[in-house]
Structure formats: structure tokens, C-alpha cells
Amino acid sequence: MYTSNKAKNQRHSFVVGVEYAHEDFFLELELGTFRTTSLHAQRIANSVNSIVLLKDHMVVIFKNAESITINDDFLKQAYKFRVCIKPKLLPLELSALSHREREEFIRNQAYIVTEEDMKEVNWDIKTAFQYLQQQYDARDQAYFPFSLSSSYVIPVSTHEQQEVHHAT
């Protein structure tokens, strides 16, 4: 008999990834395709603690204190970079604004970044590192820490699952 409990625990294929940001520079990292439950796929996405970009590699640190190193020879296809192309506006001192002005600021589209404001760039790790050094006038900075922006779990369609299964 088919019950909702069985449906919840059914295994499917999911593409799991995370997006991390440093200011207006974004890194999308695909963790992989996993055959698991939806809940477990989300736990995999949430297992990443932080990402650090260094001169010629990235270190992905997991919540269990383990880490992996990614360079342009290893897992190059797993990541991509995006930059915000929306012109930067001068920062505002929010404490100087009245309550009504703050409410208007929150809804001001000039300060909201959308997908259309993002541009994917085909950069290797060294180019991304150099961009951050130049962009933030940080020539002596040895690394750039990224903070979590979002995570995703995308179900792979049944048709694609069959193709993957037949290909292996």
C-alpha cells in the first residue's frame, strides 16, 4: 500500500549545490548528484560550513571539520563565478533615516540585486582571486572568505535518471 510516509522516504536523484558570496562576487559550487531522499539531499547542501578562495585553489570546509581542496585541475567543472554588474550606489547610514525612510529604502529597487544584474564569468581560480584583490584594493590579502548565500536541491527528472542509469 502506498502511504505518505513511504513517499517521503523514497530515494530520487538530486543535484545538490551551494552558492557563496564575497561582497558582490558569487561562487556557485555543485556538490554532485546524489540518489537519496529530499531531506538527506538538503542535509548534504547544509553540510558546507565555509569556502575560502586562495591564490591558486579553494578550500571547502564542512561542518564536520573535514575539507576538500579544489583547483583548476581538480573539479574545475564543479564551480562557476558570477559578478554583479549593477552599478554600485553609495552606502547609506541607516541610523540617520526615519522609520518611514528606512521602510522606503528596503523597497527601493535601486539597492536590490536580481538575477538580471548578475553576469557569469568563465574564470579560473587565479583570475577570480586577482579580480577580488583589484576590486577591493586588497593586494596583500592572502585569502578571501566566502559566506553562504544560498543552497539548492534540484530533483533530476525520471527521464534523466534513466539516462544516467543506462550510461553507467
Side-chain angles (χ1 to χ4, degrees), residues 53-54 56-58 70-72 79 124-129:
L53 177 69
L54 294 108
D56 58 359
H57 63 282
M58 289 184 280
I70 298 173
N71 61 42
D72 289 325
Y79 67 87
D124 61 11
I125 292 172
K126 289 178 185 177
T127 304
F129 183 81

Side-chain angles (χ1 to χ4, degrees), residues 6-25:
K6 287 182 182 177
K8 186 191 289 186
N9 293 324
Q10 283 186 339
R11 293 180 177 265
H12 297 284
S13 292
F14 297 93
V15 175
V16 179
V18 293
E19 184 171 270
Y20 276 68
H22 183 83
E23 302 288 335
D24 59 353
F25 185 72

Side-chain angles (χ1 to χ4, degrees), residues 56-140:
D56 58 359
H57 63 282
M58 289 184 280
V59 178
V60 180
I61 304 166
F62 295 93
K63 290 182 178 171
N64 65 0
E66 292 190 22
S67 65
I68 61 168
T69 299
I70 298 173
N71 61 42
D72 289 325
D73 296 327
F74 177 67
L75 294 177
K76 166 70 173 142
Q77 74 285 356
Y79 67 87
K80 59 185 169 184
F81 296 107
R82 294 184 306 155
V83 294
C84 180
I85 56 173
K86 189 171 195 168
K88 290 184 182 179
L89 299 173
L90 295 174
L92 290 176
E93 180 56 49
L94 294 178
S95 62
L97 300 177
S98 69
H99 178 72
R100 187 176 71 37
E101 290 171 325
R102 274 182 277 198
E103 291 295 319
E104 288 174 10
F105 170 76
I106 290 170
R107 288 189 228 68
N108 188 338
Q109 293 297 311
Y111 285 93
I112 297 173
V113 176
T114 64
E115 280 295 317
E116 291 78 35
D117 299 323
M118 303 301 294
K119 176 185 172 193
E120 187 173 320
V121 291
N122 190 21
W123 290 347
D124 61 11
I125 292 172
K126 289 178 185 177
T127 304
F129 183 81
Q130 291 168 349
Y131 168 83
L132 288 174
Q133 281 187 316
Q134 293 169 357
Q135 187 73 9
Y136 301 106
D137 198 25
R139 298 219 183 275
D140 59 346

